C-alpha cells in the first residue's frame, strides 16, 4: 500500500515546523466548523475565525518568532495573515476551495484529512472507546434473524476489531497512567492522580463496565459457536457471497467467499484469545495499585514533613526495643523528651487467678 497515492507528499510537513501548534489549532477550528455544518463551509467564515484566533493568540506569543517556517517574514496585518495560513493549508492538501456560481468560495476538507483530524482530536482529548454495548452488538448481529446475512457478519467483524483495539488502548493507557503516577512529586499530586484522574477515567468507566455488565465471558462462548457454525455452512456463505457480488461489494464469488471466511475466522479467533488480553489488563491494574501504594509511602516518608520523619524514627526505634535491644543505645538527652519502653500485655489465653474475698467479723 502506498499511502501517498491518496495523501500529498508535503501533507505532514506543517506538523514538523516551529509553527506546528498554531497550525493544528487553526486546523481544528476548520474541523469544528465542518462537524457543525451539513456540507461545506464558507471561506469568509473560516477567515473570520482565524482573525479572531490570531488576535487572541499572536504568533509572537505562541512561537516567539515572527518569521514563518520558510524563513520569510509573516504578514503583519491579521486578516492577511489569516489568508496566508488558509492558502498554506490548501497548498499542503489539508483543505480545498470550491468556487460557487455567485463567485464565493467554499472550504472542503478531503476525506483523508477528515479521518486524520478525527484521530488527532481523539488523541488530544484522550478519547477511549466506549465498551458499553459492543459485545452485545456482536452477539446480536450473529444470532439475530439476519445473522446469516453478510452485512450482519461484516458489522460483527468491524465491531470485534474495534473492541480489540479498545482493549489494547485500555491496556496501554493503564501503563501510561502508571508512568504519570510515578512521576508525581508530591502527596497531593499523587492522590489527585489516583482518586480523580485514574479512578474517573479508567476504573469508574471502562474497567468497571468491562468487568460487570459488559464482561466478555457473558457472550464469548455463544459468539464463538455461532461464528464456527457459520463457517461450516458453505451453502449459506456462497449465497451471501453472490449477494456481495450483486451489491458490488466484491469482484467475484470466490473473493467474496474468502472475505466472509476471513470475517468469521477473525471473530472466532479473537474471542478465543481475548482472555489473554483481559488478564493483561487485570495484571496492569494490580501493578498500578501496588505501585501507587509504594509511591504514597515513599513520598510520605520523604516529604520533609517533620511529623512524618519523627514517626518513621519512632517506628524504627520501637521495633528495636520490642526485640529487646536498642534502648541502651539512646542518649540520655533523647530520654528527656521521649520515653520509649517495652509494653507487655496479658495474653487472653493465659490462666487467670481468681481473687479471693476475705471477710472480717467483728464481735
Amino acid at each position: 500500500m502506498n499511502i501517498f497515492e491518496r495523501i500529498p507528499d508535503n501533507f505532514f510537513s506543517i506538523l514538523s515546523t516551529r509553527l506546528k501548534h498554531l497550525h493544528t489549532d487553526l486546523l481544528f477550528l476548520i474541523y469544528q466548523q465542518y462537524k457543525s455544518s451539513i456540507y461545506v463551509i464558507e471561506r469568509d467564515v473560516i477567515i473570520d475565525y482565524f482573525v479572531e484566533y490570531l488576535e487572541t493568540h499572536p504568533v509572537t506569543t505562541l512561537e516567539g518568532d515572527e518569521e514563518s517556517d520558510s524563513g520569510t517574514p509573516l504578514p503583519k496585518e491579521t486578516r492577511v495573515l489569516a489568508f496566508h495560513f488558509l492558502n498554506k493549508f490548501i497548498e499542503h492538501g489539508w483543505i480545498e476551495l470550491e468556487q460557487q456560481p455567485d463567485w464565493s468560495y467554499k472550504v472542503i476538507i478531503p476525506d483523508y484529512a477528515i479521518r486524520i483530524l478525527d484521530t488527532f482530536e481523539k488523541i488530544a482529548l484522550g478519547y477511549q472507546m466506549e465498551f458499553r454495548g459492543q459485545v452485545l452488538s456482536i452477539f446480536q448481529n450473529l444470532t439475530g434473524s439476519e445473522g446469516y446475512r453478510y452485512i450482519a457478519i461484516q458489522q460483527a467483524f468491524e465491531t470485534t476489531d474495534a473492541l480489540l483495539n479498545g482493549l489494547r488502548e485500555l491496556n496501554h493507557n493503564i501503563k501510561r497512567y502508571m508512568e504519570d503516577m510515578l512521576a508525581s512529586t508530591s502527596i497531593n499530586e499523587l492522590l489527585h492522580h489516583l482518586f480523580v484522574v485514574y479512578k474517573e477515567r479508567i476504573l469508574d468507566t471502562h474497567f468497571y463496565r468491562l468487568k460487570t455488565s459488559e464482561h466478555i465471558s457473558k457472550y464469548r462462548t455463544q459468539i464463538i459457536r455461532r461464528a464456527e457454525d457459520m463457517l461450516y455452512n458453505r451453502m449459506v456463505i456462497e449465497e451471501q457471497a453472490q449477494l456481495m457480488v450483486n451489491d458490488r461489494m466484491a469482484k467475484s464469488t470466490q473473493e467474496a467467499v474468502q472475505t466472509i471466511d476471513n470475517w468469521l475466522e477473525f471473530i472466532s479467533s479473537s474471542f478465543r484469545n481475548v482472555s489473554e488480553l483481559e488478564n493483561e489488563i487485570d495484571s496492569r491494574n494490580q501493578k498500578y495499585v501496588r505501585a501507587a501504594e509504594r509511591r504514597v509511602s515513599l513520598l510520605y516518608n520523604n516529604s520533609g514533613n517533620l511529623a512524618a520523619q519523627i514517626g518513621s524514627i519512632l517506628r524504627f526505634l520501637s521495633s528495636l526495643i520490642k526485640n529487646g535491644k536498642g534502648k541502651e543505645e539512646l542518649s540520655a538527652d533523647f530520654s528527656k523528651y521521649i520515653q520509649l519502653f517495652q509494653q507487655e500485655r496479658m495474653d487472653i489465653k493465659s490462666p487467670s487467678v481468681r481473687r479471693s474475698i476475705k471477710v472480717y467479723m467483728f464481735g
Side-chain angles (χ1 to χ4, degrees):
M1 295 184 293
N2 184 1
I3 190 173
F4 292 104
E5 290 181 355
R6 297 291 311 279
I7 297 177
D9 291 339
N10 61 347
F11 182 75
F12 293 104
S13 61
I14 64 172
L15 304 179
S16 59
T17 68
R18 293 194 307 272
L19 301 177
K20 59 186 176 183
H21 297 293
L22 175 61
H23 292 158
T24 52
D25 285 349
L26 296 177
L27 284 171
F28 278 134
L29 284 178
I30 301 175
Y31 183 60
Q32 293 302 321
Q33 287 302 305
Y34 160 79
K35 291 199 299 182
S36 62
S37 64
I38 297 177
Y39 173 50
V40 290
I41 320 155
E42 293 184 7
R43 182 188 63 177
D44 292 342
V45 171
I46 296 300
I47 292 297
D48 289 340
Y49 275 106
F50 279 14
V51 169
E52 180 182 358
Y53 179 89
L54 293 170
E55 288 177 347
T56 310
H57 305 82
V59 177
T60 52
T61 301
L62 289 173
E63 300 296 331
D65 194 337
E66 292 188 2
E67 291 189 350
S68 69
D69 44 271
S70 62
T72 58
L74 291 172
K76 298 294 184 181
E77 204 274 315
T78 306
R79 194 166 188 83
V80 178
L81 185 59
F83 273 101
H84 165 81
F85 286 117
L86 186 71
N87 292 331
K88 193 173 188 178
F89 296 150
I90 296 172
E91 177 187 347
H92 287 74
W94 285 89
I95 61 174
E96 298 173 358
L97 280 187
E98 182 180 272
Q99 189 175 24
Q100 302 300 303
D102 61 356
W103 300 98
S104 64
Y105 287 93
K106 303 287 186 181
V107 174
I108 300 174
I109 306 180
D111 58 342
Y112 56 83
I114 291 173
R115 293 188 178 94
I116 291 174
L117 287 172
D118 179 66
T119 301
F120 284 174
E121 183 182 53
K122 289 178 179 177
I123 294 173
L125 297 177
Y127 168 82
Q128 292 180 332
M129 193 198 77
E130 176 58 68
F131 293 123
R132 186 185 297 275
Q134 297 294 319
V135 183
L136 178 60
S137 174
I138 298 168
F139 173 77
Q140 289 177 337
N141 274 317
L142 293 179
T143 60
S145 59
E146 300 292 324
Y148 276 105
R149 293 182 61 82
Y150 79 85
I151 296 177
I153 300 173
Q154 181 182 10
Q155 290 177 348
F157 161 76
E158 292 174 351
T159 308
T160 302
D161 188 40
L163 174 66
L164 289 181
N165 286 334
L167 291 173
R168 294 187 189 105
E169 290 175 7
L170 176 60
N171 188 40
H172 174 76
N173 283 337
I174 294 176
K175 175 179 179 295
R176 180 171 61 84
Y177 279 112
M178 182 185 296
E179 293 171 351
D180 294 343
M181 179 268 295
L182 293 175
S184 302
T185 57
S186 69
I187 289 289
N188 289 341
E189 183 182 349
L190 176 60
L191 294 179
H192 178 269
H193 189 281
L194 180 60
F195 292 107
V196 177
V197 178
Y198 187 74
K199 183 175 183 295
E200 290 182 356
R201 298 181 184 177
I202 298 294
L203 292 183
D204 289 350
T205 54
H206 306 283
F207 189 81
Y208 174 77
R209 284 197 287 271
L210 181 65
K211 305 305 291 183
T212 54
S213 61
E214 293 301 318
H215 200 283
I216 294 174
S217 62
K218 183 176 181 180
Y219 302 100
R220 177 174 174 269
T221 303
Q222 297 176 73
I223 290 174
I224 294 173
R225 183 185 300 119
R226 182 67 167 179
E228 292 182 348
D229 287 346
M230 289 181 179
L231 276 170
Y232 287 110
N233 196 333
R234 306 313 299 175
M235 182 178 69
V236 171
I237 288 181
E238 290 175 2
E239 290 176 356
Q240 293 303 310
Q242 186 59 52
L243 285 176
M244 287 184 66
V245 175
N246 296 342
D247 294 341
R248 299 186 179 181
M249 296 293 294
K251 295 180 180 179
S252 65
T253 304
Q254 182 179 0
E255 177 186 330
V257 167
Q258 185 62 52
T259 299
I260 296 175
D261 285 346
N262 290 341
W263 290 342
L264 293 171
E265 288 171 0
F266 177 82
I267 294 170
S268 176
S269 63
S270 296
F271 277 90
R272 284 188 178 281
N273 301 320
V274 74
S275 58
E276 297 180 10
L277 186 52
E278 284 188 286
N279 293 337
E280 176 67 16
I281 292 172
D282 287 340
S283 175
R284 283 194 187 277
N285 181 62
Q286 294 171 6
K287 289 178 181 177
Y288 178 95
V289 173
R290 291 195 296 269
E293 291 175 349
R294 291 193 295 267
R295 189 64 178 168
V296 168
S297 177
L298 177 64
L299 289 180
Y300 179 78
N301 293 327
N302 298 331
S303 62
N305 186 315
L306 182 60
Q309 293 181 4
I310 292 175
S312 178
I313 294 171
L314 293 178
R315 282 193 298 272
F316 172 72
L317 293 176
S318 64
S319 66
L320 293 178
I321 294 173
K322 181 180 179 181
N323 295 324
K325 57 183 179 179
K327 189 173 183 179
E328 64 277 4
E329 299 176 2
L330 298 177
S331 67
D333 292 336
F334 184 88
S335 299
K336 291 180 182 179
Y337 304 101
I338 299 177
Q339 290 290 333
L340 295 177
F341 56 90
Q342 183 173 1
Q343 182 180 12
E344 297 181 355
R345 66 180 183 275
M346 180 181 291
D347 190 344
I348 61 174
K349 296 182 180 180
S350 64
S352 61
V353 179
R354 185 182 184 88
R355 295 181 62 184
S356 60
I357 300 176
K358 294 183 179 181
V359 180
Y360 296 91
M361 303 296 293
F362 299 93

